[in-house]
Amino acid sequence: MKYNTQNELKIALRRAAKGAERAAILYDGENRKLIQSSGANVTLYSGEVKTGESVKEQLEDISVLLIERLNARRGVRDGIGALGGLSERTTPLYFAKLSEQERISLIDLRDDVVEENGKAVLTTDIDVIRVNNVKREMREELGDLGLSCQETDFDKMELIEMSGVKDDNFLINIWSGEGDVWAINPYCHVLKVEDDFIQNLVGANQKKKEHAEVNNLRKMPLFEALKHYGEYGGKVQMNDGRNAEKDYRYVHEWLAVWGLASKVLGHDDEKMLKLMKEVQKETPWKIDFESAAKKMGKDIHFVAEVLKIKPETIEQMQRIQPQTDFYKEKANARS
């Protein structure tokens, strides 16, 4: 059934059961557009590819900056991920009612309000909105830890292209029906920085604010980050049962680090296949691109497009299975 207004759609979604019933309503693109918004994130990374017999050795010097997310309401861990979040938008009707000074005051606070010729204007350009989104969220999230991002050169930020990707999990499976809710189109970016920049952020005296959504910052080898989606269990779990202390909260952010790995390896199919074998050998759970793609409303060939490799290569990567012997050997070595 099609709905004519945002309010009608939200009423229908409130009444619908979580899961398949809500998903069916949003399957109609015209319905989804009524509550569509965006989010944006950035994975900061440092280091260079080096020579090495294994791909793990080649990526040894490359690290990423991750945040440990917190559920602000419950104060418990809520996965790891990149710096970022939902966009902050302004409706044309609200904007039209403001004075010029009030409009100017929204610059840097609303991602769709920008300055042109000395005046504040409303933009619908997603390429402007997504960059402003990252800048604001990074400033706010680091600010929650008493840190600053003033030295960041956002002009060097690169988009990991994920055409048409959706993040509707909260709306479909979690939303209680209270307050506003949005169907999200996420935009993932990577930004290369000096290693000292990441090290200084991680090593700084962090002063976490009350009700902050960031628990901590972590520097992690890129090779290690590639493993962190699909681990179920743990003391604290996300709504789908994944480990909230170790797994990426958002699947598109995890796919972005695979996109980063492919980028630094020159989108080389042979190296990516070898990388997958090495990562899966050290990971007891399945690195499951097919399941991840379904979470985003896509198929496995979409993953090949994101990584800019051949569809046959991603199919070969998907067929590789976990080998738990690696972890048994590690355990025996420690005993």
Side-chain angles (χ1 to χ4, degrees), residues 78-111:
D78 198 23
I80 61 174
L83 289 156
L86 299 182
S87 65
E88 295 284 351
R89 305 286 189 98
T90 311
T91 65
L93 181 60
Y94 175 76
F95 189 75
K97 294 178 179 179
L98 300 178
S99 68
E100 182 58 28
Q101 191 57 45
E102 288 172 326
R103 292 176 181 179
I104 290 174
S105 70
L106 291 179
I107 295 173
D108 294 333
L109 298 179
R110 296 291 183 269
D111 305 324

Side-chain angles (χ1 to χ4, degrees), residues 223-224 226-233 243 246-247 276-288 320-331 334:
F223 185 88
E224 180 68 22
L226 301 174
K227 305 173 185 178
H228 287 275
Y229 191 85
E231 180 182 1
Y232 288 83
N243 191 326
K246 296 183 179 180
D247 243 36
M276 178 63 177
K277 291 176 180 177
E278 293 177 16
V279 171
Q280 188 65 88
K281 184 179 180 181
E282 295 189 13
T283 313
W285 55 88
K286 170 69 176 162
I287 305 296
D288 194 343
I320 297 169
Q321 297 299 316
Q323 297 179 27
T324 56
D325 288 347
F326 173 87
Y327 281 87
K328 289 178 182 178
E329 291 170 7
K330 288 280 185 179
R334 288 194 297 266

Side-chain angles (χ1 to χ4, degrees), residues 18-280:
K18 294 178 182 179
E21 197 170 327
R22 287 183 179 177
I25 294 172
L26 293 176
Y27 184 78
D28 188 309
E30 294 303 312
N31 284 342
R32 190 177 183 277
K33 282 181 182 179
L34 292 172
I35 54 171
Q36 182 176 295
S37 189
S38 65
N41 62 79
V42 61
T43 297
L44 302 184
Y45 74 100
S46 63
E48 302 282 350
V49 174
K50 67 177 194 178
T51 57
E53 185 174 333
S54 69
V55 183
K56 182 179 182 179
E57 290 172 329
Q58 293 169 31
L59 298 179
E60 193 172 44
D61 290 344
I62 300 180
S63 297
V64 297
L65 179 71
L66 296 174
I67 64 172
E68 296 177 355
R69 296 184 182 278
L70 272 184
N71 183 304
R73 182 170 52 84
R74 295 187 293 137
V76 297
R77 287 286 300 279
D78 198 23
I80 61 174
L83 289 156
L86 299 182
S87 65
E88 295 284 351
R89 305 286 189 98
T90 311
T91 65
L93 181 60
Y94 175 76
F95 189 75
K97 294 178 179 179
L98 300 178
S99 68
E100 182 58 28
Q101 191 57 45
E102 288 172 326
R103 292 176 181 179
I104 290 174
S105 70
L106 291 179
I107 295 173
D108 294 333
L109 298 179
R110 296 291 183 269
D111 305 324
D112 55 355
V113 179
V114 297
E115 183 180 346
E116 286 186 8
N117 301 319
K119 290 189 174 184
V121 298
L122 205 57
T123 182
T124 58
D125 187 341
I126 191 59
D127 290 329
V128 173
I129 292 171
R130 63 179 171 83
V131 173
N132 287 344
N133 189 167
V134 168
K135 290 179 179 179
R136 179 188 49 73
E137 281 288 341
M138 187 169 168
R139 184 174 65 247
E140 290 175 1
E141 290 184 326
L142 291 181
D144 280 349
L145 296 174
L147 305 174
S148 169
C149 60
Q150 289 181 350
E151 299 177 16
T152 310
D153 188 353
F154 290 101
D155 290 338
K156 295 181 179 179
M157 193 165 65
E158 299 177 65
L159 179 68
I160 299 289
E161 296 179 20
M162 300 186 187
S163 179
V165 71
K166 302 173 184 177
D167 178 18
D168 297 344
N169 179 61
F170 179 81
L171 172 54
I172 292 173
N173 297 309
I174 304 173
W175 185 50
S176 66
E178 297 179 4
D180 286 330
V181 71
W182 308 100
I184 303 300
N185 293 345
Y187 293 86
C188 300
H189 307 81
V190 295
L191 176 59
K192 188 175 182 182
V193 297
E194 296 297 326
D195 186 65
D196 285 349
F197 182 78
I198 292 179
Q199 198 62 49
N200 289 340
L201 286 176
V202 173
N205 182 21
Q206 298 171 19
K207 300 176 181 178
K208 187 171 62 178
K209 292 181 181 178
E210 190 177 1
H211 303 302
E213 294 184 4
V214 180
N215 182 60
N216 194 20
L217 298 177
R218 293 170 61 182
K219 180 183 179 184
M220 183 180 289
L222 173 59
F223 185 88
E224 180 68 22
L226 301 174
K227 305 173 185 178
H228 287 275
Y229 191 85
E231 180 182 1
Y232 288 83
K235 291 182 179 179
V236 184
Q237 299 177 17
M238 288 176 268
N239 67 298
D240 58 0
R242 288 183 297 112
N243 191 326
E245 294 184 304
K246 296 183 179 180
D247 243 36
Y248 266 83
R249 177 70 179 87
Y250 299 109
V251 61
H252 49 273
E253 293 182 6
W254 172 73
L255 185 57
V257 291
W258 275 93
L260 172 60
S262 185
K263 166 186 156 57
V264 299
L265 292 171
H267 306 293
D268 185 299
D269 287 79
E270 289 186 10
K271 288 183 178 179
M272 288 302 292
L273 182 57
K274 188 176 180 183
L275 173 63
M276 178 63 177
K277 291 176 180 177
E278 293 177 16
V279 171
Q280 188 65 88

